[in-house]
Amino acid sequence: MDEMTLLNDISTQLKPYPVDKAGNTQNLYAITHDVDSIDIINSETMQNVGSISLEHKPRSAGAYNKSLDLVLVAGADKPMSSIIDPNTNDIVAIAGENVITRPDLAYLQDILFGLQSENLLLSIG
């Protein structure tokens, strides 16, 4: 069995998350928690070649539409997504609401102990 060796150490910001292929390009998008941007990695040289600023923290960039040649980047902290052209790394559209959202205690209790609507109780489990 062949041994695996580290080819390169790629510098990104703290708390790395997924790395996703960006369409039919040499780009890889490196997602980082708590940062409103995506690092762009060249898959041939494995070098960080730039970043894309976002209006939200990214959750993933793995949704690629082959017909439209676009990448969807889902928001982690806001109910919004950015649509990126992987050939230019430009944001071509943004969808959703630019408001930070977090589950609150009441929301978590509803999920854990059942949803109550008027006099109807729906149990989960």
Side-chain angles (χ1 to χ4, degrees):
M1 179 180 278
D2 293 335
E3 285 188 40
M4 294 180 66
T5 59
L6 179 65
L7 296 177
N8 200 350
D9 187 5
I10 301 170
S11 176
T12 62
Q13 298 194 32
L14 298 175
K15 298 182 184 177
Y17 199 47
V19 174
D20 297 307
K21 178 87 169 83
N24 294 318
T25 68
Q26 296 174 351
N27 296 337
L28 301 172
Y29 290 153
I31 308 297
T32 307
H33 283 290
D34 301 330
V35 178
D36 294 347
S37 65
I38 296 174
D39 289 320
I40 307 164
I41 309 298
N42 180 296
S43 62
E44 287 187 359
T45 65
M46 298 307 287
Q47 295 297 311
N48 186 330
V49 295
S51 66
I52 302 169
S53 294
L54 303 170
E55 291 183 24
H56 56 85
K57 293 179 181 16
R59 179 177 306 283
S60 68
Y64 171 69
N65 184 302
K66 186 176 179 180
S67 297
L68 298 174
D69 194 24
L70 296 171
V71 175
L72 177 71
V73 178
D77 63 335
K78 298 176 182 176
M80 62 189 310
S81 296
S82 296
I83 300 171
I84 297 174
D85 180 339
N87 300 295
T88 62
N89 295 312
D90 291 330
I91 296 174
V92 296
I94 298 172
E97 191 173 352
N98 194 357
V99 175
I100 293 177
T101 57
R102 290 186 186 92
D104 60 17
L105 183 57
Y107 171 81
L108 294 174
Q109 287 174 339
D110 284 347
I111 295 300
L112 294 173
F113 302 111
L115 303 173
Q116 188 169 353
S117 175
E118 297 177 16
N119 294 326
L120 177 65
L121 177 65
L122 301 173
S123 295
I124 297 175

